[in-house]
Amino acid sequence: MYNEINNLKGVVKIMSDRIKGSCTTILVGKKASIDGSTIISRNDDGHEALDPERLVVVNPEDQPKHYQAVISKVKVELPDNPLRYTSIPNSILTNGTWPAAGINSENIAMSATETITTNSRVLGMDPFVDGGIGEEDLVTLVLPYIHSAKEGVERLGALLEEYGTYEPNGIAFSDNNDIWWLETIGGHHWAAKRIPDDAYVVAPNRMNIDDFDFDADDTMASADLQDLIEKYHLNPDFDKVNLRHIFGSATIKDTVYNNPRAWFGQKYFTPDVDQDPMEQDLPFICHANRKISIEDVKFVLSSHFENTKYDVYGSGSEADKTLFRPIGINRNHDVHILQIRNNVPDAVAGIHWLAFGANTFNTVVPFYANVSDTPASYKDADGTFNLNHMYWLSCTTALLGDTDYDFYVDMRNSYELEAMSAYRKIENDTDADLSNHADVNAYLEDANQQLADEAMQRQTKLLGDMVIAGSEKMKLRYNLND
């Protein structure tokens, strides 16, 4: 009994010590994107400014059969015959692997998770489960076993009902046709919605799904969820079902931490819509005034309220500049944009765009997902500072850029244009020559190495240019020379 009590205390301590991160998600349907691909993307943010991450491939022989979580200690028996998948795990595994996102070998993508909100009425009806599953576990438990985005919703929903969860999360799934967004509700419940092909979503750290029809073909939910709304008198509205109103929050924190991020993303994609950044009812499903590119998604996920008085680096008052939580922030650990393309062979359809560190001074790189290994400069980062690893190189560049954003930003802009052009040229050439290579895996791994080398060279040059230019502006100087 003494050992059991000590073990329980250990679990409780890990659960209480864990500080939730906060992310921003963007989803883009295939008719809303510029090239007909589906796009799910997210800033993987944490509580600490630095938490090294890596890009790896989990091959079937490396996938666990008997899974046990580090945080909650939950044990889950996993199916046979897992699929290969890309993953972005933590480098330091004190609190578990935290795979974050990936694309499996059947071109199914998953991003987990966007921490969301709840309310006391929900938790009084279905409390969280300390020994359940959470963000640490979800990609490992779901992505290797699904063959469509909808199947991802079904598998995760079943796991939530069986094991419960200790936190509220939003999770995105995609294949070449569909994007589904699932939000957990209380300890064991969930609801999901298919994103329309011509729509986009900007989802911050709140319950995001609003209007919901339980009988529609584009929704799924726990079997008893509709009955529970009635039984526990959870719906505050007279004549509609709005899941954000029922299961989420509308707090003062939402008005400064969450809603402004949705407002800025929607302002960028749909500039003719006039909305207030603190508005509690900003829409979930939105439509842009143009087709959306990878570059657009990256800009929003790097943004800090540019061209508004709220810009952290702008000329507004200190009160305005610190009022809202920006999307790009020092706690960005990675930004991933998972693209499933429709106009290319299946072998090259899955593109795992990735950048590390605070997003103000980096670029996303389009790595092919249909590989068995990843480049060392993206795979081998650990807790030791090392500029040969992209994680640390990106973090260093962002730190220097933060010291004088106005001075360095033009260098960043030139670097970003030239780097993205170079990456797209490598991608276009690789796509075009695919049919001439029998060993597709080796061919795409070579392409990924070219992309990693190009990215490292250009990021290093940017940092060097910033150091050289910035040295002339150091305070430790004197105007008379010897």
Side-chain angles (χ1 to χ4, degrees), residues 12-31:
V12 171
K13 185 177 190 307
I14 290 175
M15 296 287 289
S16 62
D17 286 351
R18 177 177 177 259
I19 302 174
K20 294 181 177 64
S22 52
C23 310
T24 308
T25 292
I26 296 178
L27 315 173
V28 183
K30 63 184 180 182
K31 292 182 180 178

Side-chain angles (χ1 to χ4, degrees), residues 74-91:
V74 66
K75 295 180 179 179
V76 181
E77 295 299 307
L78 294 176
D80 294 326
N81 303 316
L83 301 171
R84 184 186 68 233
Y85 61 102
T86 58
S87 171
I88 323 169
N90 286 358
S91 298

Side-chain angles (χ1 to χ4, degrees), residues 93 149 152 173 243 350 382 396 475:
L93 303 179
F173 299 95
L243 297 194
D382 56 22
T396 303
K475 292 182 176 66

Side-chain angles (χ1 to χ4, degrees), residues 277-292:
M278 292 188 173
E279 170 62 46
Q280 298 283 22
D281 280 325
L282 293 172
F284 175 58
I285 301 297
C286 301
H287 295 85
N289 71 342
R290 63 193 183 280
K291 294 183 178 181
I292 297 172

Side-chain angles (χ1 to χ4, degrees), residues 65-126:
K65 182 72 170 65
H66 313 285
Y67 179 83
Q68 180 170 8
V70 172
I71 292 175
S72 70
K73 305 301 182 185
V74 66
K75 295 180 179 179
V76 181
E77 295 299 307
L78 294 176
D80 294 326
N81 303 316
L83 301 171
R84 184 186 68 233
Y85 61 102
T86 58
S87 171
I88 323 169
N90 286 358
S91 298
I92 300 168
L93 303 179
T94 306
N95 288 324
T97 303
W98 292 70
I103 302 173
N104 72 24
S105 54
E106 293 197 5
N107 291 325
I108 314 303
M110 176 182 181
S111 180
T113 69
E114 182 78 29
T115 304
I116 60 172
T117 52
T118 185
N119 63 60
S120 58
R121 298 180 299 281
V122 175
L123 296 182
M125 176 267 294
D126 182 13

Side-chain angles (χ1 to χ4, degrees), residues 188-469:
H188 301 86
H189 292 84
W190 57 275
K193 188 161 186 168
R194 183 186 181 276
I195 308 306
D197 293 340
D198 63 348
Y200 74 88
V201 166
V202 180
N205 301 116
R206 65 177 186 193
M207 182 88 185
N208 288 283
I209 299 175
D210 48 24
D211 295 338
F212 196 82
D213 180 354
F214 281 94
D215 296 322
D217 292 336
D218 64 350
T219 64
M220 300 171 65
S222 311
D224 61 344
L225 189 63
Q226 189 170 12
D227 292 337
L228 291 175
I229 294 172
E230 295 282 338
K231 178 179 179 181
Y232 289 94
H233 311 289
L234 299 177
N235 191 353
D237 293 316
F238 292 107
D239 56 358
K240 62 181 177 180
V241 175
N242 181 311
L243 297 194
R244 193 187 308 161
H245 293 172
I246 296 169
F247 299 117
S249 62
T251 64
I252 298 301
K253 179 179 178 180
D254 286 327
T255 66
V256 296
Y257 196 84
N258 291 319
N259 304 343
R261 285 183 277 156
W263 165 78
F264 186 82
Q266 292 175 15
K267 176 182 174 68
Y268 180 78
F269 291 126
T270 318
D272 54 326
V273 176
D274 185 20
Q275 299 174 144
D276 188 293
M278 292 188 173
E279 170 62 46
Q280 298 283 22
D281 280 325
L282 293 172
F284 175 58
I285 301 297
C286 301
H287 295 85
N289 71 342
R290 63 193 183 280
K291 294 183 178 181
I292 297 172
S293 68
I294 296 295
E295 287 84 350
D296 290 327
V297 174
K298 172 59 167 63
F299 172 78
V300 174
L301 289 175
S302 305
S303 61
H304 39 86
F305 304 115
E306 287 92 329
N307 292 332
T308 77
K309 65 181 180 179
Y310 310 112
D311 187 354
V312 174
Y313 296 123
S315 57
S317 69
E318 285 304 308
D320 285 334
K321 291 195 293 184
T322 57
L323 180 59
F324 298 148
R325 189 269 206 205
I327 297 175
I329 199 167
N330 66 324
R331 297 184 280 108
N332 299 144
H333 295 159
D334 80 67
V335 53
H336 53 266
I337 304 174
L338 308 182
Q339 180 186 28
I340 310 299
R341 300 186 292 172
N342 276 300
N343 57 346
V344 296
D346 288 347
V348 293
I351 303 293
H352 189 138
W353 295 80
L354 179 66
F356 291 125
N359 289 333
T360 42
F361 284 82
N362 62 17
T363 55
V364 285
V365 181
F367 291 110
Y368 289 93
N370 186 20
V371 293
S372 300
D373 202 1
T374 54
S377 57
Y378 277 76
K379 181 177 64 174
D380 292 343
D382 56 22
T384 301
F385 180 82
N386 185 339
L387 291 180
N388 292 315
H389 296 147
M390 181 55 87
Y391 176 85
W392 289 108
L393 180 59
S394 295
C395 291
T396 303
T397 314
L399 178 63
L400 179 56
D402 187 71
T403 64
D404 194 339
Y405 180 83
D406 287 342
F407 178 72
Y408 292 119
V409 68
D410 194 50
M411 298 181 202
R412 189 281 311 275
N413 292 341
S414 296
Y415 146 79
E416 188 170 30
L417 174 62
E418 293 167 3
M420 287 295 288
S421 300
Y423 307 153
R424 285 195 175 278
K425 180 65 165 62
I426 293 172
E427 182 185 45
N428 289 336
D429 290 347
T430 302
D431 288 352
D433 202 37
L434 176 68
S435 61
N436 294 322
H437 297 269
D439 189 341
V440 173
N441 186 279
Y443 176 60
L444 297 182
E445 287 183 2
D446 287 344
N448 283 353
Q449 188 64 56
Q450 290 180 54
L451 288 160
D453 292 345
E454 187 76 26
M456 287 292 295
Q457 181 269 325
R458 290 184 178 276
Q459 189 82 38
T460 301
K461 183 180 184 301
L462 172 62
L463 178 59
D465 290 345
M466 292 167 65
V467 169
I468 292 167

